Amino acid sequence: MSSDQKALEQEALESLDSMSAVPKLQGPIGRLIGWVDACFLTLSVLALVAIAATVLLQVSSRLFLPFSIAWTEELSRYLFIYMVALSVGVVMRQHRNISVELFHHMLGPRMKAAFQALICLMIGVFAFLVLPYAWQYAQNGTWQTSPTLRVPMLYIFFSTVVTFALLLVYSVLGCLEGIIAMCRSSASREQES
């Protein structure tokens, strides 16, 4: 992809989402984070494909078989839960979560970075506070099994731990990116003076 195409892509992205103007981490750390993002997105897409296959199997069994398969509804529900849990951090990092954008487009680059750092800090503090309780909730599943699949509910309830752990990690990343962007924009202002 040429530099002109990347610039046009970045401009189009910024017109859709003003917070994407805050630069992501670069270098080896940025590539590592990109690889981790790709892994989580791949797992989420695999869960989505598995949901589609499971629902297709359920519909086919109801139409073409004399009996319906009971475990498909339960499996599709668990796959959906893990699809959301595995993608929550990447969605937050790419600013694709639900947010109210009343004034973001009016902010300058430094204020966008400060806003991102503040939002990520608040989400991170919340995730940090909830994470121990998510672990307690997950442990409730040690003596339960799911009705039709007979899977220990610990694995299903553990999705809350995954969700809040990923929110915590990605909020730290977002906060760091915001702070670095604030420092860079203030340093570039000093050099211009």
Side-chain angles (χ1 to χ4, degrees):
M1 186 180 281
S2 71
S3 61
D4 292 336
Q5 287 175 328
K6 285 185 180 182
L8 287 173
E9 184 179 302
Q10 182 65 25
E11 185 179 322
L13 185 60
E14 286 179 23
S15 70
L16 294 174
D17 177 25
S18 63
M19 292 304 292
S20 65
V22 178
K24 306 288 184 216
L25 290 173
Q26 302 295 317
I29 294 174
R31 284 192 297 275
L32 176 66
I33 293 168
W35 183 80
V36 171
D37 289 352
C39 287
F40 282 123
L41 285 178
T42 301
L43 289 172
S44 297
V45 168
L46 288 175
L48 181 61
V49 169
I51 290 170
T54 304
V55 170
L56 186 63
L57 177 65
Q58 181 181 30
V59 170
S60 299
S61 72
R62 288 183 182 185
L63 289 174
F64 303 118
L65 297 177
F67 58 90
S68 63
I69 302 173
W71 53 265
T72 53
E73 183 179 340
E74 190 175 299
L75 179 61
S76 64
R77 189 178 315 129
Y78 298 153
L79 287 169
F80 178 75
I81 289 169
Y82 265 97
M83 179 187 70
V84 171
L86 291 170
S87 64
V88 70
V90 180
V91 167
M92 183 179 143
R93 179 169 162 77
Q94 294 180 354
H95 307 290
R96 298 291 180 252
N97 49 348
I98 297 174
S99 65
V100 179
E101 294 184 6
L102 296 176
F103 58 88
H104 295 127
H105 64 282
M106 295 185 288
L107 298 175
R110 189 168 184 212
M111 287 306 294
K112 286 180 185 176
F115 185 74
Q116 176 179 318
L118 176 67
I119 294 298
C120 288
L121 178 68
M122 290 172 31
I123 292 172
V125 167
F126 176 75
F128 179 76
L129 293 174
V130 173
L131 195 55
Y133 299 105
W135 176 245
Q136 287 177 354
Y137 173 69
Q139 288 177 330
N140 287 336
T142 55
W143 58 83
Q144 297 174 337
T145 57
S146 64
T148 57
L149 291 174
R150 293 293 187 214
V151 175
M153 290 302 289
L154 170 68
Y155 300 125
I156 310 306
F157 292 166
F158 191 72
S159 64
T160 58
V161 176
V162 171
T163 300
F164 289 110
L166 287 175
L167 275 177
L168 180 59
V169 168
Y170 277 91
S171 64
V172 168
L173 282 174
C175 195
L176 283 174
E177 288 173 345
I179 291 170
I180 289 170
M182 281 189 326
C183 294
R184 284 185 182 161
S185 63
S186 62
S188 63
R189 280 186 180 177
E190 288 175 9
Q191 289 176 353
E192 289 175 2
S193 308

